[in-house]
Amino acid sequence: MNDRNDIDSILNSMFSGGRLNVKSPAAKEAEKSLEAVERAQQDMSQSLQKSIERMQADMADLERHLESDGVTAGTSGNSGGADDMNAAFEKARAEALSVVIGQDEFVNGLTLAFKRPFVAGQPDHLPLCRAALLGWGGTGRRSAVEALTASLGRQGVLKTPKTSHIDLSAYSAPGSEKLFVQDLFSALKGGASSLVFVNCQKCHPSVLPLVFSAFSTGSVPLPGRYAEQKGLLIDVGTALAPGAVSQLSAGGRYLFLLAGPDPLKLSGAFGSVFMSGLDDVLSTGDFSRESLVRIAELRLNELRERAGRQLSFTLSFGRPEAEALASKYDRERGAAAIGSAADLLYKAMSEEKLRRSLGPAQACLKSGELGLYAEYRAEGAQGRITPGIPDDTRNAAELAAVKEELSGITGLESVKEYILSLEDNFRMQRLRKERGMKAGTPSMHMIFTGNPGTGKTTVARITARYLKAMGALSGGQLVEVTRADLVGQYVGHTAPLTQKAIQSAMGGVLFIDEAYSLYRGRDDSFGLEAIDALVKGMEDHRDRLVVILAGYSREMEEFLTANSGLRSRFPNIIEFPDYTPEELLEITESIASKMGYRLDPGCRGPLIEHYTRRQISGDPRVSGNGRMARNLVEAAVIACSRRNMRAEDGERDLELLLPEDFDVEESYDELFQDI
């Protein structure tokens, strides 16, 4: 009753006299309540609007990311029915064939490999496909995988159109397993539908089992304790960490391993079990002449479009120009050689426009004896554009320069003849490979034996440049090391030192002078460890490294017994003979000339007599051959300076070395005292 009386009292106060009394306290209180409700509704509406706007922005950002991956609303509507699925794969095959010319059989087989798991099914934990793609480089294996993956991804058959490539040559050093795992995790985390592994023959043997596991089981066991933190795979060691990961899963992905045309080499690396577990082994074939012309036409069309867009050049060409470009193909580089030649043309055209400040121009491609060139006509200018000197021409010039330097060395005719023979063998094997014949990689590891001062180091330096010029090595640098650079001071220190030296010489020559010092008997565990690491490094990097050992003949023969595989790694043992007295005189004159001096004719007889006594009656291991000649010249220069400074100005000849400057009139007794 009291509540009712209170309500009645409020109402009476609000409507006293039959009219609303807005001035009453109760009315004011109600008005405030209504305003609060309205404000709350406005705040809620504004908050909801902001949430909707944020959601729209997030959706737009997601759509942009999907579009960057090739996934759009218009391309992901595949229903999954048989007709739609067949149409999607047929479209993907057609798109791949438009990119990869002249490899129809390979592309058809690869399309079936992509389609098979959608027909036969595949457990979730296994890859959708495990395939080896064999063939020469530049035959379209990567491009075909990328084209099929991209097309099927855009059509919604695959989750994404991404293909990731993992270059196994990046894991050539011992302990590379962790780096491989990190890169594999990034590729998997990046959402790639296809993973392509290349250069398996160049990775460290410890990485091969991880690749084997990915293909055979669909997972890769991690070499340690890892945890995923903020999108990264972190090695947590012995620490306790939530969400620890023990393996990486490649389930639901396509895995492809690219290798050379010989399946036996792939089987030798991974074993027959690996090969038998593959779903497909597909091979690209040789290009027909017409296929190469079609590839060349595509590259020229791309060149024409690029020149028009970037340079304002209107470019025309015909079939003869396409045939001339197709002739640039070689089996070693594949169709990429055709693209490289087209790139050289574009580079030459852009340089011409830059240097002459050309405006829009009409250009016509033509073929001549030296290959393709372009003739153009622009406002106030006309001319011919010729691509830069090809690498082969530059290499030929460098090769000629190195040969000239080698021929300029005094004596050592048998050594020079052997070094020059390396080119013939290398070119023969490359020619056999280009023609599809069985070809081996000739071993170029060498041992230089001989007494001090016979030119071993000089020839080694020239050899490094020679091997680069003829295409056998990519770098051509010579890294000189001794025992002190390879052998550590405590257990476990030697192998890393040797591996570091090998890595620094990669692509060039590792030259070990006085190599016999690495072996000081069976009790020298550190030296034996260095030799073992050296032999292993030579085997792991036989295509990227040449090792040259130098030392005395007898000591090097004993050194070769230190490791059972050492002698077989060095089939080329070159003996450097001692110089004859006449050759030493020639060396003396050459050294003096380089220092800005000349020898008086009267020096010839005493020097020949001196060198004869030293080389015949003395010990060349002590005398020093070329070093002896250099020491004599340096001493003669000092004597010449002393003599001229004591003479009158008019009697001075600052370039002439006299017989008395050499002081070679020692007696036989003095000679034998030196022995």
Side-chain angles (χ1 to χ4, degrees), residues 29-39:
E29 193 67 30
E31 186 177 2
K32 291 180 180 179
S33 298
L34 289 172
E35 291 175 354
V37 171
E38 289 177 357
R39 284 196 302 271

Side-chain angles (χ1 to χ4, degrees), residues 88-138:
F89 277 96
E90 180 57 31
K91 180 179 180 180
R93 186 184 74 88
E95 291 184 4
L97 286 173
S98 68
V99 175
V100 182
I101 306 298
Q103 299 290 350
D104 294 25
E105 184 177 351
F106 173 77
V107 172
N108 291 339
L110 189 61
T111 304
L112 291 179
F114 270 90
K115 188 176 181 180
R116 183 177 293 108
F118 289 89
V119 176
Q122 188 80 316
D124 292 339
H125 69 281
L126 291 178
L128 294 175
C129 172
R130 289 86 49 98
L133 308 182
L134 309 181
W136 296 101

